[in-house]
Amino acid sequence: MSEIKCPNCGEVFTVDESDYAALVRQVRDDEFRRELDEQAQRAQEAADARQEAALAQAAAQAAATAAEKDRQLADLKGQLEAAQSAAALAAADQQARAREEAEQLRAEAQRQAAERDQRIAELSVALEGRDQQAAAERELAVQQARQAEAERVAAVERERDDLARRLQAQEQQAALERDLALQRAEAQAAEARRAVERERDDLEARLERERLESERLKAAHESELAIQLRAKDDIIATREREIDDIRHMRAELSVKMLGESLEQYCENEFNKLRATGFQSAAFGKDNDAADGSKGDYIYRELDEDGNEVVSIMFEMKNEAEDSTHRRRNEDHFKKLDHDRRAKGCEYAVLVSLLERDSDYYNTGIVDVSYA
């Protein structure tokens, strides 16, 4: 199929090969005829132009001759007539030649038209032969395609029959194998059923033995657990009595007793090191309350001449863990500094267990002289 677009309207037409060939032949014939007509017309126009040019030239010559003969009218009248006759003959001769050339051109155009018609006829015969050959080839191709299709269908049918026979044989073989497999499966199932029944009986006997053993172990475990629970209850009761005793003891301790326990601890620690590092030092309780206030301990160190080298006022502070009126270290700084000055000590040290969770006071000895 081919598409042709109209040059005037722009519409596109779809034609087959035969219609396309016919249109080509028609266009080719019309163009050839038009070219021949145009050539004949141009030849005729050229002949007419030459004839008119010859007539114009003859007229010009005749006019010139007439003018010349007018000037020489007296003596050239005879020559004028002869010249006019010659001019007429020349014009006739030129017209004859022009007509002859036109006839030659027309004959040439007719010859070319005859050649064109003959060529058109030959092309038509060739196109018809080509169309017939293409039709024959198409028919042969169709016949070959039909024959190939028939052979393919026959091959497919043969293959289908062969597959059917093989499928039938396979089905028969599968049926036999299925029957044998069913027989073997039934025999195996029967054997497996007998084995399962034997195993079931063994499991039932084993489960009964395990149940009896489990009941015996359960009874023994419950007895042991009861003994452990009684022992645990005794331990809990003992611990609760101990906790009550400790709580009762702590409740009976006063703040003074807690403080004295810390003082006793510090004094014992000093006495451990007195013989090795503090032979010329004194560490004792402050018993002078003349000004209404006193510290806990005073440390004084003397040199070999009996002069005081360093003196420290110590204050020990502790409190019960369940105390509801907790105090801070800085609450005792002012009184400790007052006691230091009153007893003429150079330094003051607070030994405290008040703020046990403080990251600042738990780093060791802390300087609070700025407070």
Side-chain angles (χ1 to χ4, degrees), residues 199-249:
E199 187 177 358
R200 180 196 61 193
D201 296 337
D202 294 340
L203 287 174
E204 288 178 353
R206 188 186 305 170
L207 287 174
E208 182 64 20
R209 291 193 300 271
E210 290 179 355
R211 186 181 64 80
L212 295 175
E213 182 67 18
S214 176
E215 290 179 355
R216 186 184 66 79
L217 293 175
K218 182 178 179 181
H221 179 68
E222 288 178 353
S223 177
E224 184 180 359
L225 184 61
I227 295 173
Q228 291 178 356
L229 287 175
R230 286 194 297 270
K232 182 179 179 181
D233 292 339
D234 294 340
I235 293 173
I236 292 174
T238 303
R239 295 290 174 82
E240 288 179 351
R241 286 193 299 271
E242 291 177 354
I243 292 172
D244 292 339
D245 294 341
I246 292 172
R247 287 176 179 173
H248 182 70
M249 181 183 66

Side-chain angles (χ1 to χ4, degrees), residues 13 114 142 167-168 186 189 197 200 203 213 216 221 223 228 239 249 253 271 292 304 311 318 321 348 354 360-361 366:
F13 300 92
V142 170
L167 182 60
Q168 185 177 2
E186 289 176 356
E197 289 175 355
R200 180 196 61 193
L203 287 174
E213 182 67 18
R216 186 184 66 79
H221 179 68
S223 177
Q228 291 178 356
R239 295 290 174 82
M249 181 183 66
L253 290 175
N271 291 331
E304 296 178 353
S311 59
N318 194 4
E321 294 181 358
L354 299 180
Y360 178 65
Y361 290 114
V366 179

Side-chain angles (χ1 to χ4, degrees), residues 208-316:
E208 182 64 20
R209 291 193 300 271
E210 290 179 355
R211 186 181 64 80
L212 295 175
E213 182 67 18
S214 176
E215 290 179 355
R216 186 184 66 79
L217 293 175
K218 182 178 179 181
H221 179 68
E222 288 178 353
S223 177
E224 184 180 359
L225 184 61
I227 295 173
Q228 291 178 356
L229 287 175
R230 286 194 297 270
K232 182 179 179 181
D233 292 339
D234 294 340
I235 293 173
I236 292 174
T238 303
R239 295 290 174 82
E240 288 179 351
R241 286 193 299 271
E242 291 177 354
I243 292 172
D244 292 339
D245 294 341
I246 292 172
R247 287 176 179 173
H248 182 70
M249 181 183 66
R250 287 184 177 180
E252 291 179 351
L253 290 175
S254 63
V255 176
K256 184 176 183 300
M257 293 175 64
L258 290 173
E260 288 179 352
S261 64
L262 180 60
E263 292 173 0
Q264 188 64 39
Y265 171 79
C266 293
E267 185 174 356
N268 292 335
E269 291 297 317
F270 177 78
N271 291 331
K272 291 178 183 179
L273 301 175
R274 181 192 296 273
T276 57
F278 303 97
Q279 297 178 357
S280 59
F283 183 72
K285 293 183 63 68
D286 181 16
N287 297 319
D288 184 7
D291 57 352
S293 176
K294 68 182 184 67
D296 290 332
Y297 276 80
I298 296 177
Y299 172 85
R300 297 184 186 275
E301 185 175 353
L302 306 177
D303 59 9
E304 296 178 353
D305 298 330
N307 298 319
E308 185 177 288
V309 177
V310 62
S311 59
I312 304 173
M313 171 62 72
F314 282 91
E315 185 80 16
M316 285 72 169

Side-chain angles (χ1 to χ4, degrees), residues 53-93:
L55 291 174
Q57 185 178 3
Q61 290 177 358
T65 304
E68 182 66 22
K69 288 182 178 182
D70 285 339
R71 289 190 299 270
Q72 299 175 358
L73 183 59
D75 55 354
L76 297 176
K77 185 176 180 179
Q79 295 178 359
L80 178 59
E81 292 177 356
Q84 288 177 351
S85 298
L89 292 174
D93 186 35

Side-chain angles (χ1 to χ4, degrees), residues 60 90 99 330 350:
R99 283 193 296 272
E330 60 185 19
L350 176 65

Side-chain angles (χ1 to χ4, degrees), residues 15 19 21 31 39 74 123 137 183:
V15 296
D19 294 337
E31 290 180 354
Q39 289 179 3
L123 291 173
E137 291 177 353
Q183 293 175 1

Side-chain angles (χ1 to χ4, degrees), residues 7-31:
N8 295 325
C9 63
E11 184 177 358
V12 178
F13 300 92
T14 303
V15 296
D16 55 10
E17 295 180 357
S18 59
D19 294 337
Y20 184 75
L23 289 173
V24 170
R25 287 197 300 272
Q26 182 180 357
V27 172
R28 189 179 298 164
D29 295 343
D30 292 341
E31 290 180 354

